[in-house]
Amino acid sequence: MPHPLFTPEVRMMLQERSDAGLREFCESLHPATVAEALDDDFTPEQVWEAISHADIRTQASVFEYLPPARQVEMIEKARPQVGQLLGKMSHDDRVDLVRRLPEDVHEKLLRLVDEADRRDIATLGQYGADTVGAMMTTDYAWLPGTLTAAEAIDQLRQQAPDRETIYYVYVLDEAARKPDGTLAPRRLLGVVSLRDLILAPRHALIRDLMESEVEALRYDEDREAVAKLFARYDLIAVPVVDDRFGLLGIVTHDDVLDVVQAEATEDLQRQAGVGRIEGTYLEASFRQVWLSRAVWLVFLFLMQMVTINVMAHYEGKLDGGAGRPDGRGLAFLIVFIPLCLSVGGNAGSQASTLVTRALALEQIRARDWLRVFRRELLMALALAAALGVLSVARTYWFTPTDVLVKVPDDGFWSLVWVVTFSVMGICLTGALVGAMLPLGIKSIGWDPALMSGPLIATLSDVLGIIIYFSIIGLFF
Amino acid sequence: MPHPLFTPEVRMMLQERSDAGLREFCESLHPATVAEALDDDFTPEQVWEAISHADIRTQASVFEYLPPARQVEMIEKARPQVGQLLGKMSHDDRVDLVRRLPEDVHEKLLRLVDEADRRDIATLGQYGADTVGAMMTTDYAWLPGTLTAAEAIDQLRQQAPDRETIYYVYVLDEAARKPDGTLAPRRLLGVVSLRDLILAPRHALIRDLMESEVEALRYDEDREAVAKLFARYDLIAVPVVDDRFGLLGIVTHDDVLDVVQAEATEDLQRQAGVGRIEGTYLEASFRQVWLSRAVWLVFLFLMQMVTINVMAHYEGKLDGGAGRPDGRGLAFLIVFIPLCLSVGGNAGSQASTLVTRALALEQIRARDWLRVFRRELLMALALAAALGVLSVARTYWFTPTDVLVKVPDDGFWSLVWVVTFSVMGICLTGALVGAMLPLGIKSIGWDPALMSGPLIATLSDVLGIIIYFSIIGLFF
């Protein structure tokens, strides 16, 4: 949420009904800056009033930069020009807006836009959320391959005002008819950049200038594919095609940034055991957030039934001191349980996060498991060594007096070694399990992110308890 | 790691010494695809051989797409054309490469490039890592404001081949001298897009066409600022300026995606208690990864001294059954400790991740704490309710027999309520602490990400133990 510098100025102009001032304000600044200035303190009516003096194209640009929830409010208080404004919006942003509207508003609105726009909204609206199709826009620039470079630039002058970008121009073939008689999307033959058009001799033909090995995406691929393609090829836009390479639309670079941010948010939330949430933190519906958190909390709660059973199995060993010559029990050993659980959870989540992220960025593949195993084994040993030294020092000097008085007479060094070997063993196991599980999950074709975070923590709780009590069994 | 489709073909051509085939291969495909085909199985010499038949500009493009570690290996086996190749590389990629080289190779290499490039590398190399300056490139297109649109396009034709982008053209003033007599960077007066140049009348002056309200970044800002600006304004490039608005370079959209990915990786790792790591999972130095993990493990280990002391304080209550009329102890209650710790950790990390991410994306500000508190309080109550119901059912039906036999005769319902109220209280506290701490940290100007993940987990361990034993005290 950036600081809306111009808000007081707009408020003043609205009070003074300074139409010229408002037009000047909307048209001279970047539409994102105008949208920011018109923040939550203004009513939807005031926002309409503030932008309505600018030309309709500027109104559409400012409107696109308003937060989604705001756009919906604005449409509910729609002005007569709203049909025209929708006609000038980016086709992808327009569909996103229409998707968000309540059913009745949606229908009222569609009656205000013209036939072609209505058809375009319907077409784009049919693609599944999270697919490439749902991200794309249909306002791309295109040309037939038979034009010369000079003719192409002239044509682009006509197309430019209504196109999302003219820096990539798509070269399409003749329209063909489908068996049912309707027109099929024109097939994508190549792409030529405006840079190449400018550099080319005036009379060169587009079909000779164009790059015909085009990187394209299918409309039904996952949106993650977009981010990967942009990252690999440094593109400004990517064409989206159907089964027969017919051009359906393009995805532009500005939408990719949003996808990468959204994917990162999803990864972070999944790592913390939060399901997918639509909208920002304060906008998202309470019910949806509750559900996305409760499902995980309940699942992890149920997983903890295992730790309870494991604890119950070992707890008898500590209870009372009947078996010990000096009659002192071992219950004091429970004070180290949180430490053991914490070491396992931390070592495990470090390793699983590193491996899961490396898999997501395609830095490693499931078949690299042996290299990962070797590296993590060495790493886990080196980490365990560090914690081991610390643990000897810590148990030797800093064990609380409450605990020390209960240690059997011959048991002090046993205590030091139990804690130290447990910490080391748990660190080692946690790190190895954390590293290898995501690879295992990946190799059977599931999403490795499922195994990071809380699930690893629960698993390492169980292993931690088993290791701790087994080592106690060896020394006491 | 995408699948290198063309690898076998390249291997064949190298064996057959098919120079024409290799040139065709390098020049007809996208340089990213060529770079992928030349994967780890080829030696650096083979890669040089494969690309050396293409023209030097293509060689430079392919080279830019090789993984950083590979580029360094290639330079160590440098061919004579390497000086020329560096001359044709993007200025930002070139500096990144030079930074990675060992000292001796670095110096040998600099002797091979010409004076202007050497100066450019030195200038770009001086900016701190993670600053905007370190991301920028100096091969931008610029013009004086006095040209007409037609003249500008002619000029761009000359500049295009050596520029990172010509879609934004920067308008600069006359060069001025600094007090010491050297030339200061030319001041940025405005920006004009190639789209606007194409649309403009031939004789329109650049200074009338240009946008003079330019969004620019200072060279010493954090690289996160770049991502924010691009996300806000949907840009292709952003100018980087000095204190007097002198243009130093530009940052282009393709580098922003890398930054957003790198920042997301950093956030994920920090959430899992892993410090910053340079390079990919398999490339990063063992020592650096060890350090970045060991520091956190040791820190969290030391934090657990608190839980040990808290446990030691309460443990006496459970030990033996002296105080109870039926002589049975309460040690069986320790079996629920891992459950309690887990609930607190999970509820806390969910809330802290959501709030920290919302802060990072500027969806909320520290001053929204009251709204966040109200929302999280309701949410925590609703989550605690769900776990409460589950906990009654779970303790009633599924408590292990090993534990049941030790429960005092009148104590079964006490057990049910102790576990249920503890789980609910810990869930509530965990979620509230997890949500509010990042806001508190943010409000004193620190990075809220420090408080997510393991630190919240440790804190909620302590609170969990206190809550659990306090509730035991009420019922037994």
Side-chain angles (χ1 to χ4, degrees):
Chain A
M1 236 180 262
H3 306 290
L5 273 175
F6 296 96
T7 303
E9 207 173 311
V10 177
R11 194 170 296 286
M12 184 85 82
M13 288 189 287
L14 279 173
Q15 270 170 9
E16 294 173 353
R17 306 191 158 277
S18 162
D19 298 354
L22 287 166
R23 186 174 59 243
E24 164 75 18
F25 166 73
C26 291
E27 294 185 352
S28 68
L29 292 174
H30 191 288
T33 312
V34 177
E36 254 160 41
L38 299 167
D39 68 7
D40 286 354
D41 297 340
F42 292 95
T43 64
E45 288 84 357
Q46 284 176 316
V47 176
W48 277 122
E49 177 60 26
I51 66 174
S52 63
H53 306 288
D55 78 67
I56 191 76
R57 204 178 291 281
T58 307
Q59 291 185 40
S61 311
V62 172
F63 189 85
E64 285 175 16
Y65 280 105
L66 292 172
R70 200 70 208 262
Q71 291 182 356
V72 173
E73 281 175 25
M74 297 270 296
I75 291 294
E76 287 169 347
K77 308 277 177 197
R79 292 281 184 105
Q81 78 263 38
V82 76
Q84 236 187 316
L85 184 147
L86 256 83
K88 297 296 179 199
M89 274 180 81
S90 285
H91 296 190
D92 49 346
D93 290 350
R94 183 166 70 181
V95 177
D96 288 345
L97 167 63
V98 171
R99 272 182 218 263
R100 280 201 180 81
L101 295 174
E103 192 65 29
D104 54 325
V105 183
H106 179 156
E107 282 177 18
K108 205 176 71 187
L109 186 71
L110 283 187
R111 279 198 294 274
L112 297 175
V113 301
D114 68 29
E115 177 59 25
D117 287 329
R118 198 150 56 223
R119 251 202 325 266
D120 184 77
I121 291 172
T123 313
L124 285 179
Q126 81 199 357
Y127 298 105
D130 286 350
T131 64
V132 170
M135 288 177 69
M136 76 186 184
T137 184
T138 44
D139 39 3
Y140 50 82
W142 71 274
L143 295 169
T146 49
L147 298 186
T148 63
E151 287 166 345
I153 292 175
D154 277 339
Q155 281 265 333
L156 284 180
R157 280 203 188 98
Q158 314 297 317
Q159 296 191 20
D162 294 316
R163 299 295 175 243
E164 179 97 13
T165 181
I166 57 162
Y167 298 137
Y168 288 173
V169 184
Y170 298 93
V171 185
L172 305 182
D173 73 356
E174 296 295 307
R177 285 193 188 274
K178 290 194 234 180
D180 64 4
T182 58
L183 285 176
R186 287 165 185 263
R187 228 187 289 244
L188 179 61
L189 302 177
V191 63
V192 62
S193 69
L194 184 55
R195 178 184 195 140
D196 292 337
L197 282 180
I198 295 256
L199 281 175
R202 289 180 51 82
H203 297 291
L205 285 179
I206 300 296
R207 64 164 172 248
D208 299 326
L209 293 173
M210 75 185 185
E211 175 61 61
S212 53
E213 298 273 347
V214 189
E215 293 296 331
L217 291 166
R218 267 177 60 106
Y219 66 98
D220 54 359
E221 282 184 84
D222 190 276
R223 62 176 186 178
E224 273 184 62
V226 176
K228 281 185 191 152
L229 204 65
F230 272 84
R232 241 165 93 192
Y233 293 108
D234 300 343
L235 301 162
I236 293 178
V238 162
V240 182
V241 296
D242 64 14
D243 305 323
R244 40 184 291 292
F245 226 67
L247 185 64
L248 299 175
I250 59 170
V251 175
T252 49
H253 67 103
D254 50 312
D255 298 317
V256 178
L257 216 52
D258 298 341
V259 168
V260 172
Q261 288 284 25
E263 295 282 337
T265 302
E266 243 182 89
D267 287 352
L268 274 159
Q269 288 176 356
R270 196 152 40 184
Q271 189 174 293
V274 180
R276 181 155 171 188
I277 292 172
E278 299 290 335
T280 64
Y281 176 79
L282 289 173
E283 274 172 31
S285 93
F286 188 84
R287 205 182 135 271
Q288 197 205 13
V289 175
W290 179 81
L291 206 65
S292 72
R293 292 163 73 164
V295 165
W296 270 96
L297 284 184
V298 165
F299 174 72
L300 295 167
F301 183 95
L302 295 175
M303 295 277 295
Q304 286 287 338
M305 291 187 65
V306 185
T307 60
I308 291 173
N309 282 294
V310 175
M311 285 288 286
H313 174 75
Y314 287 109
E315 182 265 331
K317 285 197 185 179
L318 305 186
D319 205 5
R324 303 271 322 165
D326 54 7
R328 295 193 202 161
L330 295 174
F332 66 88
L333 285 168
I334 67 160
V335 305
F336 298 101
I337 289 177
L339 171 72
C340 291
L341 300 181
S342 150
V343 166
N346 294 332
S349 75
Q350 283 185 340
S352 73
T353 300
L354 286 173
V355 171
T356 304
R357 184 70 180 160
L359 282 169
L361 297 179
E362 300 189 323
Q363 294 171 353
I364 55 175
R365 280 170 286 194
R367 66 172 202 225
D368 292 323
W369 69 271
L370 194 60
R371 281 177 77 184
V372 175
F373 180 77
R374 276 202 216 110
R375 193 178 164 99
E376 282 299 319
L377 183 62
L378 283 178
M379 185 63 73
L381 285 169
L383 291 170
L387 287 185
V389 171
L390 196 68
S391 180
V392 170
R394 194 236 159 284
T395 328
Y396 188 84
W397 280 300
F398 297 106
T399 302
T401 335
D402 296 356
V403 174
L404 282 181
V405 297
K406 296 180 187 166
V407 177
D409 298 331
D410 57 348
F412 180 70
W413 276 102
S414 298
L415 171 66
V416 172
W417 295 125
V418 162
V419 174
T420 302
F421 291 143
S422 299
V423 163
M424 292 178 71
I426 291 169
C427 171
L428 194 67
T429 330
L432 282 180
V433 169
M436 301 320 286
L437 263 184
L439 287 173
I441 293 285
K442 174 84 181 181
S443 70
I444 58 169
W446 291 5
D447 182 351
L450 288 174
M451 284 315 284
S452 70
L455 255 181
I456 292 276
T458 307
L459 194 63
S460 68
D461 277 1
V462 176
L463 292 172
I465 294 165
I466 296 176
I467 292 172
Y468 184 53
F469 282 100
S470 305
I471 292 180
I472 289 177
L474 292 178
F475 281 86
F476 285 101
Chain B
M1 241 180 257
H3 307 289
L5 273 175
F6 296 96
T7 305
E9 208 173 310
V10 177
R11 194 170 297 287
M12 183 86 82
M13 288 190 286
L14 278 173
Q15 269 168 11
E16 294 173 355
R17 306 192 158 275
S18 162
D19 298 354
L22 287 167
R23 186 174 56 242
E24 164 75 19
F25 166 74
C26 290
E27 294 185 351
S28 68
L29 292 174
H30 191 287
T33 312
V34 177
E36 255 160 41
L38 299 167
D39 67 8
D40 285 354
D41 297 341
F42 292 95
T43 63
E45 288 85 357
Q46 285 176 316
V47 177
W48 277 121
E49 178 59 26
I51 66 174
S52 62
H53 307 288
D55 76 67
I56 191 76
R57 204 178 292 282
T58 307
Q59 290 185 39
S61 311
V62 173
F63 189 85
E64 285 174 15
Y65 280 105
L66 292 172
R70 201 68 209 263
Q71 291 182 355
V72 173
E73 280 176 25
M74 296 270 296
I75 292 295
E76 286 169 348
K77 308 276 176 197
R79 292 282 184 105
Q81 77 263 40
V82 76
Q84 239 187 315
L85 185 147
L86 257 84
K88 298 295 180 197
M89 275 180 78
S90 285
H91 296 189
D92 49 347
D93 291 350
R94 183 167 70 183
V95 176
D96 288 345
L97 167 63
V98 171
R99 273 182 218 262
R100 280 201 179 80
L101 294 174
E103 192 65 30
D104 54 326
V105 183
H106 179 157
E107 281 178 18
K108 206 174 72 186
L109 187 71
L110 284 187
R111 280 197 295 272
L112 297 174
V113 301
D114 67 29
E115 177 60 25
D117 287 330
R118 198 151 53 225
R119 250 201 327 262
D120 184 77
I121 292 172
T123 312
L124 284 179
Q126 80 199 359
Y127 298 105
D130 288 351
T131 64
V132 169
M135 288 177 69
M136 76 185 183
T137 184
T138 43
D139 39 3
Y140 50 81
W142 72 274
L143 294 169
T146 48
L147 298 186
T148 64
E151 287 166 343
I153 292 174
D154 276 338
Q155 280 265 334
L156 283 179
R157 280 206 187 95
Q158 314 297 318
Q159 296 191 20
D162 294 316
R163 299 296 175 242
E164 179 97 13
T165 183
I166 57 161
Y167 298 137
Y168 288 175
V169 184
Y170 298 93
V171 184
L172 305 184
D173 73 356
E174 296 295 307
R177 287 194 184 274
K178 290 194 234 176
D180 64 5
T182 58
L183 285 176
R186 286 163 186 264
R187 229 188 288 243
L188 178 61
L189 302 177
V191 62
V192 61
S193 70
L194 183 54
R195 179 185 196 136
D196 292 337
L197 281 180
I198 295 256
L199 281 174
R202 289 179 54 80
H203 297 291
L205 287 180
I206 299 296
R207 65 166 172 247
D208 300 326
L209 293 172
M210 74 186 186
E211 176 62 62
S212 51
E213 298 273 348
V214 189
E215 293 295 332
L217 290 166
R218 269 176 58 108
Y219 66 98
D220 53 358
E221 282 183 85
D222 190 274
R223 62 178 185 176
E224 271 184 65
V226 176
K228 281 184 192 154
L229 204 65
F230 272 85
R232 242 165 93 191
Y233 293 108
D234 299 342
L235 300 163
I236 294 178
V238 162
V240 182
V241 294
D242 63 14
D243 304 323
R244 40 185 290 293
F245 226 66
L247 184 64
L248 300 175
I250 60 170
V251 175
T252 50
H253 67 102
D254 50 310
D255 298 318
V256 178
L257 217 50
D258 299 340
V259 167
V260 171
Q261 289 285 25
E263 295 281 336
T265 302
E266 242 183 88
D267 287 352
L268 275 159
Q269 288 176 355
R270 195 153 38 183
Q271 189 174 295
V274 179
R276 177 151 175 195
I277 292 172
E278 299 290 335
T280 65
Y281 176 77
L282 289 173
E283 276 172 29
S285 92
F286 187 85
R287 206 183 133 272
Q288 197 205 11
V289 175
W290 178 81
L291 206 66
S292 72
R293 291 163 73 165
V295 165
W296 270 96
L297 285 183
V298 165
F299 174 72
L300 295 167
F301 183 95
L302 294 175
M303 294 277 295
Q304 286 287 338
M305 292 187 64
V306 184
T307 62
I308 291 173
N309 282 295
V310 175
M311 286 288 285
H313 174 75
Y314 287 109
E315 182 265 330
K317 284 196 185 177
L318 305 185
D319 204 6
R324 305 269 320 163
D326 54 7
R328 296 192 201 161
L330 296 174
F332 65 90
L333 287 168
I334 68 159
V335 306
F336 298 101
I337 289 177
L339 171 72
C340 291
L341 300 182
S342 151
V343 166
N346 294 332
S349 75
Q350 284 185 341
S352 72
T353 300
L354 286 173
V355 171
T356 305
R357 185 69 182 159
L359 282 169
L361 297 179
E362 301 190 325
Q363 295 171 354
I364 54 174
R365 280 172 283 195
R367 67 172 202 224
D368 293 322
W369 70 271
L370 194 60
R371 281 176 77 183
V372 175
F373 180 78
R374 276 202 216 109
R375 193 177 163 99
E376 282 298 318
L377 182 62
L378 283 177
M379 185 64 72
L381 285 169
L383 292 170
L387 287 185
V389 172
L390 197 69
S391 180
V392 169
R394 195 237 158 283
T395 327
Y396 188 84
W397 281 300
F398 297 105
T399 301
T401 336
D402 295 357
V403 174
L404 281 181
V405 296
K406 296 181 186 163
V407 177
D409 298 328
D410 57 348
F412 179 71
W413 276 102
S414 297
L415 171 65
V416 172
W417 295 126
V418 162
V419 175
T420 302
F421 291 144
S422 300
V423 163
M424 293 179 69
I426 290 170
C427 172
L428 194 68
T429 331
L432 283 181
V433 170
M436 301 319 286
L437 262 185
L439 288 173
I441 293 286
K442 175 84 179 178
S443 71
I444 58 167
W446 291 5
D447 183 352
L450 288 174
M451 283 316 283
S452 71
L455 254 180
I456 291 277
T458 308
L459 194 62
S460 67
D461 278 1
V462 176
L463 292 173
I465 294 166
I466 294 176
I467 292 172
Y468 184 54
F469 282 100
S470 305
I471 293 181
I472 290 177
L474 292 179
F475 280 85
F476 286 101

